[in-house]
Amino acid sequence: MKAAAFDYVKPDTVDQVIALLQTHGDDARVLAGGQTLMATLNMRLSEPLMVIDITGIAALRGIERRGDVLRIGALATHTQIEESALVKQHAPLLTEAAPHIAHRAIRNSGTWGGSIAYADPAAEWPACLLALGGTVVVQGPRGERRIAADDFYLGLYTTALAPDEIVIAGEIPLARPGQWHGLSELARRHGDYAIVGLAASAQRQGAALSGVRLAFMGVATTPWRARRTEQLLEGKVPDAATQAMAVASLRAEIDPLPDLTNTPETKRHLAGVLLQRLLASAHA
Amino acid sequence: MADLHPLHVTVNGQAHRCSIAPRTHLVDFLREDLGLKGSHLGCEHGVCGACTVELNGQIVRGCLTLAVQADGGSVQTIEGLSQSGVIRDLQQAFVARNALQCGFCTSGMLMAAKELVETRPEATRAEVREWISGNYCRCTGYHAIVDAICDVLRQRKETQA
Ligand SMILES: Cc1cc2nc3c(=O)[nH]c(=O)nc-3n(C[C@H](O)[C@H](O)[C@H](O)COP(=O)(O)OP(=O)(O)OC[C@H]3O[C@@H](n4cnc5c(N)ncnc54)[C@H](O)[C@@H]3O)c2cc1C
Ligand code: FES
Ligand code: FES
C-alpha cells in the first residue's frame, strides 16, 4: 500500500521541532530512520497530516565519550553503533546486540533514538539500555530532562516522553574493568524481532557477580527486568548450582505474554534457557 | 492536498530536478518518474528487500525511504551498477550458479551482495546466509545465491593477492 498524503518539513534545530510539535499536536509525526514509521504510513496504520524529518539536525548525530558516560546521539544509526570503536570499548554489549537488529539495509537507516522512543518490547536497544543502567536524554519546551531507562518505559509503546518532547541522546555508563555482559536471543530467523531475548550485565568480584541486571525482550509490554532473580544472584559465583537456582527463580518470577505462535509456557521455558546460557558464559 | 516539494537528486550519476509529493517513496519515484524499473516492490513494509537501492553509498529499503529524503543526495540503482560494471563478477556468478530464476528479487539481492563483498571481504558462508536473509527469494531456495556470493568473495580475494 501507499502512504496517505501529508506535508513534510525538515527543520534544522531541535527548538523548531518542538515548536512544530506544539503547533500540530497529534497531527504530526517525527521521522528519524523511518524503518518503523514508514511501514506504518505505507500500511495506513497512521495518517498524520505532517511529517517532521529530524535527520537534518546535526546536534543529534555523533557518538562520544563525555566524562563517565558514552553519549550516543539520537540519530546514530544501528550500523554506526555496530561499527563504532568507541562503542566497542565502552559499551561492548551494544556492539554484540547490533547485528541482531533487522538486516543491513534497515540498520543503515534505523536510529538509536527512534528505537528507544518507539519502545518496542522486543527490540534490542531498549533492553540493552536497561541492562546497562543507561539514561534517556530528552528535550522539550521546558528544556532538557534526563530519565533513567528504568523509569522511561511505562507500557506497550508508551514512554515517559511528553508529546512535545523528543529523544536527543541516550547515555551509557562506561564499562568498568571487570564488567561482564551478555546477550542471547531466540528469533525465528536471524534479524527478526526476538521471541525471547536477554541482555545482561554485572560486575565481577573475583569469581562472583554483583550488580546483576537482567533485561528481557519479548516477554512483557515493556523491556522487563527480573529483579528478584537479580537480587538472588548478588554476590554469587555463577556455577552450575547457582545457574539452576537462578533459572528456577526466574521461571517463578516471570509472567510472559504470549505472541501469535508462542504460549506463555513456551516463553517461560525459553527465558530460563537463555538465562542458563548466559550465566554459564559468565562462569566460563 | 499536500504541497509538492522540490527534489534535486543524482541518480546513477545523472542529476535530476523535479517536484514531488512528500508521500512518494524512493522506489515509486525511481520506477514511475524516472522509468528505472529494475528496483522492485514486494511488500512495501521493509520485509522482502526487493526495493533495496543505494543511497549515498549505503543500501537502504527504497520502500521505507521518502524520495524527498534523497534531496541533495545520490542514488545508485541496479541500472547504474550494471552499466558501470562494478558488479559484473556478481552478475556472472549469479548466472553461472543458477542463482536467479524469475529475477524478481535479483536487483535487491545484488545490491545487498555488493555491500557485503565490499564491507566484509572475510565473510564466512554462515555470515553470507545471515546477510542475505533480509532479502526474500521465492524461487531459488537461497543455496545458489549463497554459492554465487561465496564464489565472488573468493575470486576477489584471489585477484587481490
Ligand atoms: C523488517 C524490519 C525488521 C526489524 N527488525 C528489528 C529488530 O529485530 N530489532 C529492533 O530493535 N528493531 C527492528 N526493526 C525496527 C528498526 O530498528 C527501527 O529502525 C527502529 O525501531 C525505529 O527507529 P527509526 O529511526 O527507524 O525510527 P522511525 O521509524 O523514524 O520512528 C519510529 C517512531 O519513533 C518516533 N521517533 C523517532 N525518533 C525519535 C526521537 N528522536 N524522539 C522521539 N520520537 C522519535 C517516531 O515519531 C515514530 O513514532 C525492524 C524494522 C523493519 C522494517
Ligand atoms: S518492498 Fe521494500 S522491503 Fe519489500
Ligand atoms: S529469483 Fe525469483 S524471487 Fe528470487
Side-chain angles (χ1 to χ4, degrees):
Chain A
M1 272 176 76
K2 313 288 180 191
F6 50 76
D7 273 317
Y8 169 86
V9 272
K10 191 172 178 183
D12 301 315
T13 67
V14 175
D15 286 340
Q16 288 165 4
V17 177
I18 292 163
L20 284 162
L21 286 173
Q22 289 188 301
T23 312
H24 297 280
D26 200 36
D27 288 336
R29 286 286 178 286
V30 167
L31 171 69
Q35 301 305 287
T36 296
L37 184 68
M38 281 297 300
T40 59
L41 297 185
N42 286 350
M43 289 189 279
R44 300 208 180 184
L45 294 173
S46 167
E47 297 190 16
L49 300 176
M50 157 88 64
V51 167
I52 307 168
D53 180 352
I54 62 171
T55 57
I57 304 175
L60 301 183
R61 299 195 175 281
I63 300 174
E64 57 177 335
R65 195 186 151 162
R66 271 202 199 170
D68 54 5
V69 298
L70 184 72
R71 183 184 167 99
I72 304 179
L75 288 177
T77 63
H78 308 322
T79 297
Q80 283 164 355
I81 295 172
E82 184 176 2
E83 294 181 344
S84 160
L86 267 184
V87 171
K88 192 168 183 184
Q89 184 185 354
H90 297 299
L93 175 65
L94 303 185
T95 311
E96 208 176 302
H100 292 274
I101 303 176
H103 291 91
R104 178 70 169 203
I106 290 161
R107 293 202 291 276
N108 284 342
S109 299
T111 69
W112 167 249
S115 180
I116 289 171
Y118 185 60
D120 192 309
E124 281 77 7
W125 291 150
C128 288
L129 200 67
L130 215 55
L132 294 172
T135 304
V136 185
V137 187
V138 311
Q139 193 173 322
R142 294 156 302 278
E144 210 174 284
R145 289 201 291 153
R146 304 178 120 65
I147 308 165
D150 280 325
D151 303 324
F152 189 71
Y153 293 105
L154 303 180
L156 189 62
Y157 307 121
T158 309
T159 68
L161 197 67
D164 53 5
E165 288 176 322
I166 65 164
V167 172
I168 60 169
E171 292 177 344
I172 311 267
L174 301 181
R176 285 180 291 161
Q179 193 193 69
W180 169 81
H181 71 269
L183 182 114
S184 191
E185 70 172 65
L186 295 157
R188 295 184 68 162
R189 168 184 66 147
H190 178 89
D192 285 356
Y193 279 107
I195 296 168
V196 181
L198 170 58
S201 79
Q203 278 304 123
R204 285 185 198 280
Q205 310 273 325
L209 299 178
S210 75
V212 181
R213 296 175 75 98
L214 306 172
F216 282 89
M217 301 161 231
V219 300
T221 55
T222 62
W224 177 79
R225 277 180 69 191
R227 290 175 191 269
R228 284 213 316 260
T229 306
E230 289 174 356
Q231 267 163 26
L232 208 70
L233 283 164
E234 185 63 37
K236 300 251 174 22
V237 176
D239 56 15
T242 304
Q243 290 165 31
M245 181 195 71
V247 168
S249 155
L250 174 70
R251 288 192 176 135
E253 178 180 12
I254 200 169
D255 189 14
L257 295 169
D259 59 31
L260 286 177
T261 39
N262 299 283
T263 61
E265 289 68 34
T266 305
K267 290 198 173 198
R268 176 177 288 118
H269 172 77
L270 295 177
V273 171
L274 295 182
L275 179 61
Q276 198 276 332
R277 283 184 191 168
L278 280 193
L279 289 176
S281 79
H283 189 50
Chain B
M1 188 62 205
D3 290 341
L4 296 183
H5 270 250
L7 173 62
H8 178 201
V9 61
T10 304
V11 179
N12 300 330
Q14 211 184 329
H16 295 270
R17 266 180 203 285
C18 47
S19 295
I20 193 154
R23 73 180 187 127
T24 312
H25 62 55
L26 186 54
V27 177
D28 274 344
F29 166 69
L30 295 169
R31 287 176 59 88
E32 305 303 327
D33 295 32
L34 301 188
L36 297 168
K37 305 244 170 166
S39 313
H40 295 153
L41 283 168
C43 64
E44 295 194 305
H45 61 275
V47 176
C48 75
C51 64
T52 307
V53 295
E54 242 179 55
L55 174 60
N56 300 325
Q58 285 192 310
I59 53 170
V60 299
R61 293 290 200 237
C63 71
L64 299 186
T65 309
L66 294 174
V68 284
Q69 289 184 288
D71 187 42
S74 102
V75 175
Q76 285 284 337
T77 69
I78 191 65
E79 288 88 350
L81 294 188
S82 301
Q83 276 153 23
S84 69
V86 289
I87 55 161
R88 188 157 299 140
D89 53 355
L90 277 168
Q91 290 169 306
Q92 283 168 348
F94 268 57
V95 173
R97 287 290 194 167
N98 206 16
L100 72 158
Q101 291 179 33
C102 78
F104 187 80
C105 70
T106 310
S107 51
M109 283 287 178
L110 287 168
M111 284 282 161
K114 173 180 185 277
E115 191 154 315
L116 171 70
V117 297
E118 285 177 356
T119 61
R120 302 274 201 285
E122 304 295 331
T124 62
R125 192 176 172 87
E127 286 164 354
V128 172
R129 269 196 178 282
E130 254 174 33
W131 188 280
I132 61 133
S133 70
N135 292 61
Y136 283 4
C137 176
R138 288 167 293 183
C139 309
T140 68
Y142 299 95
H143 218 77
I145 296 173
V146 177
D147 287 341
I149 298 171
C150 288
D151 282 354
V152 170
L153 282 168
R154 204 173 318 118
Q155 288 159 13
R156 290 201 180 188
K157 222 183 281 179
E158 278 163 15
T159 47
Q160 288 248 303

